[in-house]
């Protein structure tokens, strides 16, 4: 009968030594394939070790080899489908390279980010992939000082000269604005999360560029910022409610723009609800384009046009860069790579 | 000027020793607050260690303390919002208890699950929280034999006598069936993922119980199984397409049931699309109730009634159980806890 989990303790080298009646030293040498043990004895020791459920401790070995084979992944939250895909691909690539990932979440909270960084460093991670919280660079200078390779994803920290892998937010946003302008829109509103991160700043830049290139003045009336409640724990609060409120307030004033561009498809859910309540038809009266191409977007009524992000490619390249920093084969940095996104044109932007 | 990440290596005790001009032994004793070092020297060593960016290595310390302070979390995928919330809360609770989590994904693939378990054991995790892949118990007997505490979430493995924390799937599904029966439905179809896991089996049981208690025969025509494509990597393939196809085939035959109950809200997306195409009105002609209360569900047209899962409570209790196994304070097991879910009644089930 197998021992119950928790009812028995973890097996040690000492346990194996007792079973085979040899010294801990001999057992250790046999299991690590070092000389000084006969082939026959080595085989017997390995068989007995497996039989009693002994697993070599990678941490102990890592002290010898100088590596713990873990990569810290520090994200703001998991509620964003972009981050799900990102973590999934990072984990895949890390496992292929013989690493495991230690996942830490900051929830857009600078104090939690500090805790996450401290935890990662104390856990002895070899390197870190991070989506940093809004603009605060303090925890990251600690990582740099500690000599731990660090690669940023999605949000940059200007001034720290770090490797940076991201969607090209500026070009992507410009593309969505030009799409609705080409379809006749002049009064366009960008609905974005009110977050002071480079991602949002770059999207605003791209939006303004597209307007100005088409002779449309960019002013405050062109943007609607949705308060971010992502500091609340978990996915449950990051939904469409706030976008619904912001869009409702705007439509209450009687203004119906030609098009809405939104910062993520969750915001699009709230916007759709506000428009439906007022029987404002999409796309006949107003066009809508989302961002992120979340799993539900193509199923909305009407299907929501959205921007598909280059998540897989971006994750692969970022992990590859980190691995090259870890094994010493990296080209001199810092390296910045921006990946193009793709507009999934659907009925919401096809009047 | 701070050294660039990757341009400098990780600081060691030796580095600190060189800076302060003392032996590694003295520096080590000072940093670990052991006797034999004056207060003044200890303070100087700590200050210099911080200055050059030295972080104590938790792995090295754990060899002394006998714990690595990591919990392995092995999940099938991150595309399911239930798992996002679960991981977020597990991470939160683990950090509070001084642990970090090592995240490993199996993607419903037994071979990947084996790899995940091997990786967790080799990483020296103290304990494991797992959502196991369909019915295969081989990797888990290895964990039990190795004496690593193991707590299952969401899916049980009968015969292994393991701790098990889950939504009460049977009661939840019974509740949804009784809700549509109370509203007059007799011809009800359960649309579930075609996965051989206890979760789906329990929901089928609850469905059948509700039908039979109300004098409705349970036969094969009462269920529609949607092929699971979750073995493909990542969120991108686990969406509504297959449910759309299964529902379309069913409706093509001319049969319009009184109600659909669906296994997760992604499946509801595909079902909605199939119904909309045929101008079959929800809820007037057919009621629909989802499962999981995903972030988009309340924003669909009509808003999708769905079952909200007790994710936070479940995660907290499962982590708490694992911690009690780790610190030796656990009550004898195995422990099974089933948590009630809540029906979020919305227009799709309110004719």
């Amino acid at each position: 009968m197998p021992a119950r989990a928790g009812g028995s303790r973890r097996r040690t080298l000492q346990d194996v030594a007792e079973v085979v009646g040899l010294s801990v030293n001999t057992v250790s040498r046999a299991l690590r394939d070092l000389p000084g043990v006969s082939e026959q004895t080595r085989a017997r020791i390995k068989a007995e070790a497996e039989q009693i459920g002994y697993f070599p401790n990678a941490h102990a070995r890592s002290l010898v080899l100088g590596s713990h084979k873990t990569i810290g992944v520090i994200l703001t939250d998991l509620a964003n489908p972009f981050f799900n895909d990102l973590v999934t691909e990072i984990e895949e690539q890390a496992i292929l390279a013989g690493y495991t990932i230690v996942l830490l979440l900051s929830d857009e909270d600078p104090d939690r980010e500090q805790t996450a960084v401290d935890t990662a460093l104390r856990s002895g991670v070899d390197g870190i992939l991070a989506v940093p919280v809004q603009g605060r660079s303090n925890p990251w200078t600690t990582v740099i000082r500690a000599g731990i390779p660090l690669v940023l994803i999605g949000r940059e920290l200007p001034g720290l000269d770090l490797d940076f892998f991201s969607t090209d937010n500026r070009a992507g946003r410009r593309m969505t604005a030009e799409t609705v302008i080409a379809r006749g829109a002049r009064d366009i509103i960008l609905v974005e999360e009110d977050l002071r991160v480079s991602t949002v700043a770059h999207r605003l830049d791209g939006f303004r560029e597209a307007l100005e290139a088409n002779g449309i003045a960019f002013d405050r009336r062109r943007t609607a910022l949705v308060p971010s409640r992502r500091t609340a724990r978990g996915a449950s609060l990051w939904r469409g409610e706030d976008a619904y409120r912001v869009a409702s307030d705007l439509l209450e004033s009687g203004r119906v723009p030609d098009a809405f561009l939104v910062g993520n498809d969750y915001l699009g859910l709230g916007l759709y609800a506000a428009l439906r309540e007022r029987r404002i038809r999409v796309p006949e009266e107003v066009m809508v384009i989302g961002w992120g191409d979340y799993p539900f977007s193509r199923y909305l009524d009407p299907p929501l046009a959205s921007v598909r992000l280059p998540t897989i490619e971006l994750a692969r390249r970022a992990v590859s860069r980190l691995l090259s920093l870890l094994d010493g084969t990296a080209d001199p940095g810092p390296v910045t790579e921006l990946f193009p996104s793709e507009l999934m044109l659907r009925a919401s932007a096809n009047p």
Side-chain angles (χ1 to χ4, degrees), chain A:
Chain A
M1 198 186 83
R4 263 204 62 250
S8 69
R9 59 181 178 73
R10 190 185 172 89
R11 308 302 180 197
T12 63
L13 271 184
Q14 183 69 46
D15 295 328
V16 184
E18 274 169 25
V19 170
V20 296
L22 294 166
S23 74
V24 168
N25 182 40
T26 302
V27 168
S28 171
R29 295 187 72 81
L31 293 176
R32 286 185 293 148
D33 289 320
L34 296 179
V37 191
S38 77
E39 269 319 298
Q40 201 188 340
T41 304
R42 188 187 308 279
R44 182 163 69 91
I45 289 171
K46 286 187 173 177
E48 291 285 2
E50 199 190 332
Q51 178 61 32
I52 70 166
Y54 170 80
F55 271 84
N57 183 332
H59 292 168
R61 219 171 16 191
S62 73
L63 290 176
V64 181
L65 301 174
S67 165
H68 318 290
K69 291 288 189 183
T70 59
I71 292 173
V73 179
I74 302 181
L75 296 181
T76 57
D77 68 88
L78 280 180
N80 185 335
F82 169 70
F83 292 149
N84 305 160
D85 288 351
L86 192 71
V87 172
T88 300
E89 188 60 30
I90 288 172
E91 196 255 8
E92 163 100 354
Q93 296 299 321
I95 296 279
L96 285 175
Y99 285 79
T100 51
I101 67 169
V102 171
L103 181 70
L104 298 154
L105 305 173
S106 67
D107 286 300
E108 297 291 355
D109 178 339
D111 292 338
R112 278 184 181 278
E113 179 175 69
Q114 182 72 60
T115 304
V117 168
D118 290 348
T119 305
L121 293 176
R122 262 187 263 276
S123 306
V125 298
D126 297 281
I128 293 176
L129 292 165
V131 178
V133 168
Q134 11 195 354
R136 272 233 327 200
S137 58
N138 309 26
W140 306 109
T141 54
T142 315
V143 174
I144 296 165
R145 272 205 346 231
I148 306 291
L150 169 63
V151 172
L152 300 185
I153 297 179
R155 300 175 182 178
E156 58 188 339
L157 294 171
L160 291 189
D161 288 342
L162 290 163
D163 294 322
F164 177 57
F165 292 75
S166 174
T167 305
D168 190 337
N169 286 290
R170 192 163 165 162
R173 186 42 91 205
R174 208 165 47 216
M175 167 177 65
T176 61
E178 278 161 1
T179 299
V180 294
I181 291 171
R183 284 160 167 71
R186 302 292 293 176
D187 185 12
I188 306 164
I189 295 180
L190 175 61
V191 182
E192 269 287 358
E193 258 191 298
D194 193 6
L195 267 183
R196 289 172 191 280
V197 296
S198 62
T199 327
V200 172
H202 291 158
R203 290 190 207 146
L204 277 166
D205 287 345
F207 178 55
R208 198 188 51 236
E209 284 167 19
L211 293 188
E212 292 176 350
N214 286 279
I216 304 172
F218 176 82
D219 59 43
R220 290 192 45 164
R221 293 177 64 254
R222 297 277 173 236
T223 57
L225 295 183
V226 176
S228 175
R229 291 203 291 177
R230 282 203 270 168
T231 49
R233 192 79 193 168
S236 47
L237 286 183
W238 189 38
R239 297 184 175 174
E241 285 80 353
D242 292 316
Y244 166 78
R245 228 176 334 266
V246 166
S248 296
D249 288 350
L250 198 145
L251 296 166
E252 244 5 86
S253 73
R255 175 176 175 208
V256 178
D258 301 322
F260 281 105
L261 306 178
V262 298
N264 69 60
D265 290 356
Y266 281 144
L267 302 182
L269 291 175
L271 173 62
Y272 262 38
L275 291 168
R276 196 182 304 135
E277 245 178 46
R278 289 164 185 77
R279 299 179 187 280
I280 299 172
R281 287 171 306 148
V282 178
E284 294 82 357
E285 292 173 80
V286 58
M287 291 179 276
V288 181
I289 298 183
W291 187 277
D293 195 26
Y294 293 176
F296 55 80
S297 301
R298 77 185 80 167
Y299 289 101
L300 297 181
D301 184 18
L304 176 64
S306 192
V307 173
R308 181 172 289 174
L309 304 179
T311 321
I312 304 300
E313 176 71 2
L314 192 164
R316 285 188 185 174
R317 297 284 299 164
V319 171
S320 165
R321 173 66 181 171
L322 185 64
L323 293 173
S324 74
L325 291 168
L326 294 177
D327 69 15
T329 63
D331 290 332
V335 167
T336 292
E337 289 190 23
L338 301 181
F339 299 83
S341 53
E342 185 189 355
L343 178 58
M344 308 305 288
L345 202 49
R346 302 193 181 104
S348 69
N350 263 337

